[in-house]
Amino acid sequence: MMEGFLGNLWLWVKAAHIIFAIFLMAGLFMMPRFFIYHQEAPVGSPEDARWIERERRLKNIILNPSLIVVWVLGIVLALNGGMFSQGWFHAKLLFVLLLSGYHGWTVGYAKKLARGERAFSDKKLRMWNEVPGVAAAVIVILAVVRPF
Ligand code: HEM
């Protein structure tokens, strides 16, 4: 039984970590979908303005708070379990950094759309949409199986 300084709180913190990871992933799956629908609306149209507002809310209410909570709880768990020296944790960190970079990309792309810039084609957005799913699968396998 691995408890660390969190004691009986440990499993509750871990449960919260997973809950917020689910919220984060939901946001990361929704955002590029929003972008695809958004780009169907002409720049400056009322529909364009509605998508800008939806993207702003998704970022402020779901994406940014979830990312912060997942990181803070993840680091607390790693300190609690003395995991900074473990191979699976290093690999997991690499992939959560990748996922955080993707998060940053969605926030940046939403800003571009709000300025009327449409940098990616629909096809490219659909391809980018695969990144968070693959990253989440790798992260969960590393965290649960801990193969090394
Ligand atoms: C953002 C930085 C993150 C850090 C620093 C981090 C760190 C950790 C640590 C140290 C544990 C082990 C907890 C323990 O056993 O006491 C853990 C568990 C877990 N993490 Fe993360 N994590 C992060 C992000 C994520 C993300 C994005 C996901 C999902 C996509 C995720 C899914 C999980 C799952 C499912 C477990 C439970 C594994 C198990 O106990 O079997 N984590 N995390």
Side-chain angles (χ1 to χ4, degrees):
M1 188 71 177
M2 186 178 51
E3 281 184 346
F5 59 80
L6 288 174
N8 290 333
L9 268 181
W10 167 51
L11 287 175
W12 290 96
V13 174
K14 185 142 91 170
H17 175 71
I18 295 169
I19 290 164
F20 281 92
I22 290 171
F23 294 163
L24 171 68
M25 293 316 304
L28 289 179
F29 289 138
M30 282 169 79
M31 204 56 142
R33 270 278 123 206
F34 277 21
F35 295 162
I36 290 166
Y37 299 138
H38 186 162
Q39 292 192 167
E40 287 170 6
V43 175
S45 63
E47 186 64 11
D48 185 30
R50 276 195 290 274
W51 282 111
I52 291 169
E53 178 60 14
R54 288 179 190 127
E55 285 152 10
R56 198 186 63 80
R57 283 166 169 250
L58 184 61
K59 180 192 74 182
N60 290 343
I61 301 170
I62 311 265
L63 272 179
N64 286 353
S66 302
L67 186 75
I68 293 166
V69 174
V70 169
W71 265 105
V72 170
L73 297 184
I75 287 167
V76 168
L77 284 167
L79 290 171
N80 178 69
M83 289 156 181
F84 279 98
S85 57
Q86 297 173 14
W88 69 271
F89 184 69
H90 294 160
K92 178 170 166 170
L93 266 185
L94 195 72
F95 281 89
V96 293
L97 282 172
L98 181 87
L99 205 61
S100 302
Y102 185 85
H103 179 123
W105 171 78
T106 64
V107 170
Y109 198 86
K111 276 188 192 148
K112 280 192 180 160
L113 283 176
R115 290 196 299 259
E117 292 168 35
R118 286 153 186 214
F120 282 19
S121 66
D122 279 13
K123 196 170 164 231
K124 195 161 176 191
L125 283 174
R126 277 171 222 275
M127 276 171 59
W128 267 94
N129 214 344
E130 306 300 328
V131 173
V134 173
V138 174
I139 289 168
V140 170
I141 289 168
L142 286 168
V144 174
V145 182
R146 302 186 186 180
F148 45 83

